[in-house]
Amino acid sequence: KAGVTQTPRYLIKTRGQQVTLSCSPISGHRSVSWYQQTPGQGLQFLFEYFSETQRNKGNFPGRFSGRQFSNSRSEMNVSTLELGDSALYLCASSSQTGPYNEQFFGPGTRLTVL
Amino acid sequence: QKEVEQDPGPLSVPEGAIVSLNCTYSNSAFQYFMWYRQYSRKGPELLMYTYSSGNKEDGRFTAQVDKSSKYISLFIRDSQPSDSATYLCAMSGFKANSKLTFGKGITLSVRP
């Protein structure tokens, strides 16, 4: 089975721009979660989508949004980029059929905001 | 107080050492406790999970959970340079759709 894929792997943007990141989950997984990882804050939960519906949301401003398509692929959008948005953005998929929420992570998209 | 606290590190040990990584938590609802390993330029991968209190062993790795103290540990025996990575603890509630809460992670370096 192919793992979780994320595109692009690296991205450089300037302040004020917007960006869209893409995530393809493991085949059959209907849950996709997004995280922001920085050295100072660690791994912070952004939101989770399940069957095209946002089911959980972290404590991030409205500039961060996402969506999920019928094939479970997901996109994350950040508008009006700020320097502090520079981070590794990780996507994780889960089948949620087991006893616990086992998440499989992609390699991440490294976003640099100049 | 954050829900999950993890020793910040970094940690550097000689090859063959026993490594102890620890996390504390405040949310009594956490039932599943996980350790993820993240190599440089990669996403985290699940190393081990434990349900409720107790120990679990997998090769050189042992996970320990003490719910009464809200304290979890990961022990690595006979550490190898290939163990050099960032280790993150994670916790969730009882249901399969429970959100995961992660510690900040600790970077371990094993010197040959």
Side-chain angles (χ1 to χ4, degrees), chain A residues 35 45 100-103 105, chain B residues 30 34 36 90-93 96-102:
Chain A
Y35 296 86
F45 174 75
Y100 71 103
N101 190 0
E102 182 177 4
Q103 297 199 336
F105 284 84
Chain B
F30 289 145
M34 290 145 269
Y36 280 80
M91 308 178 186
S92 73
N97 62 358
S98 297
K99 183 171 74 78
L100 263 61
T101 302
F102 284 84

Side-chain angles (χ1 to χ4, degrees), chain A residues 14-56:
Chain A
T14 55
R15 277 182 299 174
Q17 288 187 308
Q18 78 163 25
V19 67
T20 300
L21 312 181
S22 181
C23 171
S24 291
I26 291 172
S27 177
H29 286 192
R30 294 161 65 190
S31 167
V32 173
S33 297
W34 287 90
Y35 296 86
Q36 181 195 67
Q37 188 176 33
T38 59
Q41 298 299 319
L43 206 61
Q44 293 187 284
F45 174 75
L46 281 154
F47 31 66
E48 182 215 359
Y49 285 86
F50 184 87
S51 293
E52 301 180 67
T53 302
Q54 188 181 89
R55 190 161 64 176
N56 281 308

Side-chain angles (χ1 to χ4, degrees), chain A residues 51-69:
Chain A
S51 293
E52 301 180 67
T53 302
Q54 188 181 89
R55 190 161 64 176
N56 281 308
K57 191 177 189 308
N59 202 20
F60 277 80
R63 300 186 296 107
F64 293 82
S65 63
R67 59 177 176 167
Q68 186 180 33
F69 302 96

